[in-house]
């Protein structure tokens, strides 16, 4: 049975939530391997809208087991809120969710530090989600982070939580001149968070391997997108984890060779939240049109997303880095009726045209997109059969395939499940 990794191939917000939700009924296990509550996976089901930040999108499909791997950073407050929210919709979580004991925690002081660090960056602000992601991964790398298993250990909890709190308050006071938060309240919250997490904590990696041994179907749910990858993305305007396929396997202890299919998710255009290079960014008027039509506002922060033309050069690079076997092209309907359509096919930099992604910050700042004009269409939104698609929309998809060398496996033309076409048959 297959292992499918669903990977964002742009700057996040590609529509991974819908895709995972759609594929979940055929999977046994759905796992998150990286990122944290900075993610916002939007799912519309039976007239209800869910935005999941930490729980794998498979949680909405009854009886599917969901894993949160060691590569995730978990905010226990956000986790508890999400658990309550999901339960309030009558979703049974018994024996369905395991958070790995090795998963690092995000505390309120991480979020305070995130905001202080952003402010200190001044004009170089990253535009983070303020969810404490960077500081939590920094603590993890510095080998002083607190993990789920530490929080649940009655003998160690006070000590490790107290130590990290003291480090954070020293930084907040001495570096950023902030009033320290209340330590007693924090330690009391640690007790509360431990109780909230206890029913779900376990060995998610082992659970995954048992599933693999039993030939079960596994979906790896990526968060954020390739160009936000800390190593390969537009550094420093990136997140602090690996949204690429490497992060998807590493963060749950999956051997890379087990992956059967990498589904790269791209929007039919591009968006990005926060600062940083975005070569195919549109003019303000067209961006406004797309933003309105595509509801392009951050699902975690509500910020308006920057909008751009489809960057085929970036998609091609993403396909190479992630070993993408098929594209899921989402929000094709948002381009319905747009008068002029174009896509980036390379970058002009210092007199030459490149199709690979720049490797320096300077180059990213300098690149000018090279565009190909494409013909627009009137209506994809109502189509449910690939044969009914306007010819020019098929040409658009054909251009994606031809330029990137990757076939289109899934087309999404609306939020509902039925607004999906799989032109090459089922993925799982
Ligand atoms: P952080 O992950 O909160 O540290 O934010 C770092 C950068 O990644 C910022 O530009 C964020 O807007 C962006 N980012 C983080 N998570 C997401 C996401 O789920 N979708 C889109 N952008 C994201």
């Amino acid at each position: 049975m297959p292992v499918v990794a669903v990977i964002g191939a742009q700057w996040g917000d590609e529509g991974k939530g819908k895709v995972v939700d759609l594929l979940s009924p055929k999977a046994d296990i759905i796992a998150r391997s990286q990122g944290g509550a900075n993610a916002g996976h939007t799912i519309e089901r039976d007239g209800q809208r869910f935005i999941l930040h930490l729980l794998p999108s498979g949680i909405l499909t009854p009886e599917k087991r969901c894993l949160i791997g060691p590569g995730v950073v978990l905010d226990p407050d956000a986790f508890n809120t999400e658990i309550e929210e999901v339960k309030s919709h009558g979703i049974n979580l018994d024996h369905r969710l395991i958070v790995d004991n090795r998963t690092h925690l995000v505390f309120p002081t991480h979020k305070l530090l995130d905001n202080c660090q952003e402010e200190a960056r001044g004009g170089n602000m990253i535009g983070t989600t303020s969810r404490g992601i960077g500081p939590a991964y920094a603590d993890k790398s510095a080998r002083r982070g607190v993990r789920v298993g530490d929080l649940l250990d009655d003998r160690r909890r006070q000590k490790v939580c107290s130590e990290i709190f003291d480090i954070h308050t020293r930084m907040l006071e001495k570096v950023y001149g902030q009033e320290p938060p209340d330590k007693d309240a924090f330690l009391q919250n640690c007790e509360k968070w431990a109780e909230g997490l206890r029913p779900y904590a376990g060995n998610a990696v082992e659970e995954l391997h048992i599933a693999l041994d039993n030939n079960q179907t596994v979906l790896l749910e990526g968060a954020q997108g390739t160009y936000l990858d800390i190593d390969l993305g537009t550094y420093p305007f990136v997140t602090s984890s690996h949204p690429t396929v490497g992060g998807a396997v590493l963060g749950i202890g999956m051997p890379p060779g087990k992956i059967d299919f990498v589904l790269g998710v791209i929007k039919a255009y591009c968006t990005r939240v926060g600062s940083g290079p975005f070569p195919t960014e549109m003019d303000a008027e067209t961006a406004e049109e797309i933003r309105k039509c595509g509801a392009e506002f951050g699902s975690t922060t509500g910020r308006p997303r920057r909008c751009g033309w489809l960057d085929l050069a970036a998609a091609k690079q993403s396909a190479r880095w992630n070993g993408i076997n098929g594209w899921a092209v989402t929000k094709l309907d948002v381009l319905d009726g747009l008068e002029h359509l174009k896509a980036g096919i390379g970058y002009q930099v210092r007199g030459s045209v490149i199709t690979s992604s720049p490797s320096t910050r300077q180059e990213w700042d300098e690149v000018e997109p090279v565009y190909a004009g494409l013909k627009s269409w009137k209506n994809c939104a109502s189509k449910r059969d690939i044969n009914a698609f306007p010819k020019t929309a098929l040409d658009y998809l054909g251009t994606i395939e031809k330029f990137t060398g990757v076939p289109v496996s899934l087309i999404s033309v609306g939020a509902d499940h039925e607004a999906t076409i799989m032109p090459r048959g089922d993925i799982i």
Side-chain angles (χ1 to χ4, degrees), residues 11-13 38-40 126-130 133-134 224 228 238-239 273-274 303:
W11 280 270
D13 307 317
N38 49 350
I126 295 169
T128 72
T129 57
S130 302
I133 303 298
Q224 291 81 48
L228 293 174
V238 292
T239 191
V273 202
R303 291 178 291 177

Side-chain angles (χ1 to χ4, degrees), residues 342-402:
K342 57 184 178 179
I345 52 166
Y347 312 111
Q348 179 104 34
V349 57
R350 287 175 224 156
S352 42
V353 174
I354 56 166
T355 53
S356 58
S357 293
S359 58
T360 67
R361 188 167 169 185
Q362 196 188 354
E363 264 184 7
W364 269 117
D365 285 342
E366 283 177 13
V367 292
E368 285 294 332
V370 178
Y371 287 110
L374 292 155
K375 292 216 171 79
S376 55
W377 57 85
K378 288 265 178 309
N379 171 15
C380 279
S382 64
K383 308 297 184 228
R384 299 294 176 264
D385 179 347
I386 192 73
N387 298 313
F389 268 56
K391 157 114 184 22
T392 44
L394 291 176
D395 288 346
Y396 193 77
L397 296 168
T399 304
I400 296 175
E401 293 190 334
K402 203 162 158 212

Side-chain angles (χ1 to χ4, degrees), residues 226-227 229-235 238 242 244 321 357-358 364:
T226 295
Y227 284 88
D229 186 282
I230 190 157
D231 283 335
L232 297 168
T234 52
Y235 191 91
V238 292
H242 296 286
T244 39
W321 286 339
S357 293
W364 269 117

Side-chain angles (χ1 to χ4, degrees), residues 163-295:
E163 278 169 5
I164 199 72
F165 184 87
D166 291 343
I167 292 171
H168 288 174
T169 48
R170 273 205 300 281
M171 284 163 82
L172 285 164
E173 279 183 291
K174 305 265 186 270
V175 182
Y176 301 109
Q178 299 286 309
E179 279 288 306
D182 186 299
K183 186 168 181 178
D184 288 339
F186 169 71
L187 291 174
Q188 270 171 24
N189 275 332
C190 289
E191 304 287 327
K192 188 187 84 183
W193 293 325
E195 289 328 300
L197 271 162
R198 205 176 292 283
Y200 305 104
N203 192 340
V205 173
E206 181 58 18
E207 189 73 12
L208 173 89
H209 279 273
I210 293 169
L212 292 175
D213 290 346
N214 288 308
N215 284 327
Q216 294 194 331
T217 299
V218 177
L219 263 183
L220 298 178
E221 177 176 4
Q224 291 81 48
T226 295
Y227 284 88
L228 293 174
D229 186 282
I230 190 157
D231 283 335
L232 297 168
T234 52
Y235 191 91
F237 303 101
V238 292
T239 191
S240 297
S241 69
H242 296 286
T244 39
V245 72
V249 287
L250 185 66
I252 189 74
M254 160 98 71
K258 291 276 182 194
I259 293 196
D260 295 289
F261 196 89
V262 181
L263 184 65
V265 189
I266 46 172
K267 259 193 281 221
Y269 47 97
C270 285
T271 59
R272 131 158 247 178
V273 202
S275 337
F278 189 24
T280 59
E281 189 158 19
M282 293 164 170
D283 64 82
E285 202 183 314
T286 318
E288 186 57 31
E289 202 179 325
I290 294 284
R291 191 174 301 120
K292 242 194 239 154
C293 191

Side-chain angles (χ1 to χ4, degrees), residues 35-37 54 68 72-76 79 99 103-107 148 197:
L54 275 167
I68 295 182
V72 170
V73 286
L74 185 135
D75 173 343
F79 178 79
V99 180
T103 304
H104 281 249
L105 294 165
V106 183
F107 291 130
V148 168
L197 271 162

